[in-house]
Amino acid sequence: MGLEKVKQEILERAQAEADKAVEAAQGEARAVMKSAEKQVAGYGRMMEEDLEALSNAVKRKEVASAELELKKQLLSAKSELIEGVFGEARKKLGSLPDKKRESHIIALLNAAKKEMNVSAVQCSSKDARFVEASGSGRLKVVKNDEMLGGIIAESPDGKLRVDYSYETLLEQVKEKVLGDVAKILFGQ
């Protein structure tokens, strides 16, 4: 019976060691699982943060794009309104009464004569009679019905020109006062 008892003790020890080894392995497996779960949770948080950052970036981009488009549309509308104002000015210049046109033409012709020796004048058909009646019978008058009004004076050799057409004068005024007009119209 002694051998049987030794055999039993060896088996019990082996079983105890096997149980310990299994328990240790299970503990190690639990630790590995816990670590893996922490890593997975960390990756999940990182992915959520990345997704949120990406979502915020897309939203900012969309908002910026929408704001830019709105600014473009607003600028276009303002430009149209300003052009409308100057369009009205062109209409009023085109329909000035004869007395007013005559005084403009004489003043513009005198201003051109102060700048150079004038030998030819381009003007609209409406204004030709005022140029001819200005006492400058030596001037060559060229009718240009595309002009709204005013004059374009030339020197005898044709190398110098002074453009006092209503279109050019209005453009010059527009450049000078565009900021002020925008402030008046849009309060900026």
Side-chain angles (χ1 to χ4, degrees):
M1 278 231 173
L3 192 56
E4 198 55 40
K5 195 172 180 180
V6 171
K7 186 178 168 185
Q8 184 64 31
E9 276 182 29
I10 292 174
L11 282 174
E12 284 176 7
R13 260 194 249 148
Q15 185 62 44
E17 283 181 29
D19 288 345
K20 271 185 177 178
V22 166
E23 192 176 312
Q26 286 176 341
E28 198 173 310
R30 282 191 296 273
V32 168
M33 277 300 278
K34 235 180 197 181
S35 175
E37 286 173 356
K38 283 182 183 178
Q39 283 182 336
V40 167
Y43 289 139
R45 278 192 303 275
M46 282 176 34
M47 288 178 70
E48 284 176 10
E49 289 169 1
D50 288 349
L51 184 60
E52 186 174 337
L54 183 61
S55 174
N56 288 338
V58 168
K59 284 177 187 174
R60 282 192 304 274
K61 185 178 177 182
E62 294 277 331
V63 167
S65 179
E67 286 174 348
L68 181 62
E69 184 61 30
L70 181 63
K71 285 179 183 178
K72 282 181 184 178
Q73 290 176 357
L74 186 59
L75 182 60
S76 176
K78 287 178 179 181
S79 293
E80 286 178 23
L81 188 55
I82 288 172
E83 282 305 314
V85 168
F86 282 95
E88 280 299 311
R90 282 184 195 89
K91 283 181 188 175
K92 286 186 179 184
L93 284 171
S95 63
L96 285 174
D98 283 350
K99 280 284 188 198
K100 197 72 157 167
R101 287 183 84 85
E102 182 178 16
S103 70
H104 285 175
I105 296 304
I106 292 170
L108 294 173
L109 192 54
N110 288 334
K113 287 178 181 177
K114 286 180 184 175
E115 291 189 41
M116 66 180 183
N117 182 16
V118 178
S119 68
V121 174
Q122 279 188 45
C123 60
S124 70
S125 296
K126 287 181 182 179
D127 298 333
R129 60 190 164 131
F130 304 131
V131 173
E132 291 164 351
S134 69
S136 302
R138 60 180 173 74
L139 291 179
K140 177 182 171 189
V141 178
V142 178
K143 295 177 185 174
N144 180 347
D145 287 327
E146 291 181 21
M147 288 177 62
L148 182 62
I151 63 166
I152 299 174
E154 290 185 15
S155 65
D157 60 5
K159 290 183 179 179
L160 294 177
R161 286 181 116 189
V162 178
D163 188 347
Y164 288 141
S165 64
Y166 286 173
E167 292 89 337
T168 300
L169 295 173
L170 190 59
E171 249 341 278
Q172 289 172 353
V173 168
K174 182 179 174 182
E175 287 176 17
K176 285 181 183 177
V177 300
L178 191 57
D180 294 334
V181 170
K183 284 179 186 175
I184 291 167
L185 291 175
F186 312 115
Q188 297 174 343

